[in-house]
Amino acid sequence: MDDLILNVDALEEANQPFEADLTREFLDGVLRADPPTEFQAGGASRVRGTATKMGRKVLVQAKFRIPVTGSCKRCLKTVPLDEAVELIRTYVPEAQVAHEREEHRADDAEGSFDPGLLEEEAYTGKEIDLGAAVREQILLQMPSPPLCREDCLGLCARCGKDLNEGECGCDRTVVDPRWAALKGIQLQKKEK
């Protein structure tokens, strides 16, 4: 998506605002990629954020909400959700990242890492593609399978009826399988 590309040379001021449209197709592509989530896009979204240039480093901060739909984990009804997503990332030129890593290796031969480098991502050329970071943050914000309501009764294990709509009449008593064989024994009374 071209909307998710920032031109580093065009950034002039601190907290320069930017906006990008996330189409329903883009969101479905993210949610259905390998491995797929159990959610579908419920519509389009709009990313609003700021980019701050610090020398050749660029701090990107953005917040947006994505409408998604999922299936209730008990009764399988469609559940609409509106998930908040936040993106905070510092982009550093590829050459600077390589130089900092070499310096770090020379200073510390024990193999530890610098936590400050974890929030940094490299970019090449004069453009920063936010697509990968947006995809990552969307996937990280996906919740566990939803419930249509907290007291959802689910489906009958025998006939499949939605128990939220009423009882189905099936016998749902669970018999311990270790005692199930005893159910078939016919006992006869002895007459004296």
Side-chain angles (χ1 to χ4, degrees):
M1 297 188 76
D2 291 341
D3 289 350
L4 293 175
I5 295 178
L6 295 177
N7 185 334
V8 177
D9 290 339
L11 298 175
E12 296 174 358
E13 60 187 69
N15 295 324
Q16 184 170 338
F18 69 90
E19 293 185 4
D21 289 321
L22 301 178
T23 63
R24 184 182 191 138
E25 292 78 24
F26 173 82
L27 293 174
D28 263 336
V30 170
L31 297 171
R32 304 257 176 196
D34 195 30
T37 67
E38 50 197 56
F39 295 96
Q40 297 177 34
S45 182
R46 184 150 187 85
V47 177
R48 289 180 177 87
T50 59
T52 302
K53 191 172 179 181
M54 305 170 294
R56 293 302 295 168
K57 289 185 176 183
V58 178
L59 172 64
V60 175
Q61 298 172 305
K63 291 183 180 183
F64 56 101
R65 300 188 78 75
I66 56 168
V68 294
T69 58
S71 295
C72 174
K73 66 182 179 181
R74 292 184 189 159
C75 70
L76 304 178
K77 283 184 182 172
T78 300
V79 179
L81 301 169
D82 193 38
E83 291 300 313
V85 180
E86 184 174 8
L87 168 68
I88 300 174
R89 190 79 41 102
T90 303
Y91 289 88
V92 182
E94 182 74 42
Q96 186 176 344
V97 170
H99 178 69
E100 287 177 2
R101 286 184 183 148
E102 286 301 319
E103 278 184 5
H104 187 68
R105 283 189 196 130
D107 292 344
D108 189 12
E110 293 181 18
S112 66
F113 68 94
D114 182 4
L117 298 177
L118 290 177
E119 295 296 318
E120 293 183 347
E121 192 164 320
Y123 71 90
T124 56
K126 297 180 180 187
E127 293 183 332
I128 298 173
D129 186 359
L130 300 176
V134 167
R135 282 182 190 89
E136 176 184 287
Q137 292 305 311
I138 288 172
L139 293 174
L140 288 173
Q141 294 305 314
M142 286 300 100
S144 59
L147 289 175
C148 61
R149 61 182 205 228
E150 284 300 315
D151 61 343
C152 177
L153 299 173
L155 301 175
C156 173
R158 291 190 180 247
C159 69
K161 181 177 192 269
D162 186 350
L163 298 175
N164 295 314
E165 297 172 0
E167 285 295 318
C168 60
C170 294
D171 180 20
R172 290 191 305 276
T173 56
V174 179
V175 178
D176 187 335
R178 296 171 292 183
W179 297 100
L182 295 176
K183 197 170 192 177
I185 296 178
Q186 299 284 330
L187 298 176
Q188 295 178 357
K189 288 186 178 181
K190 287 186 182 181
E191 292 186 34
K192 293 185 182 181

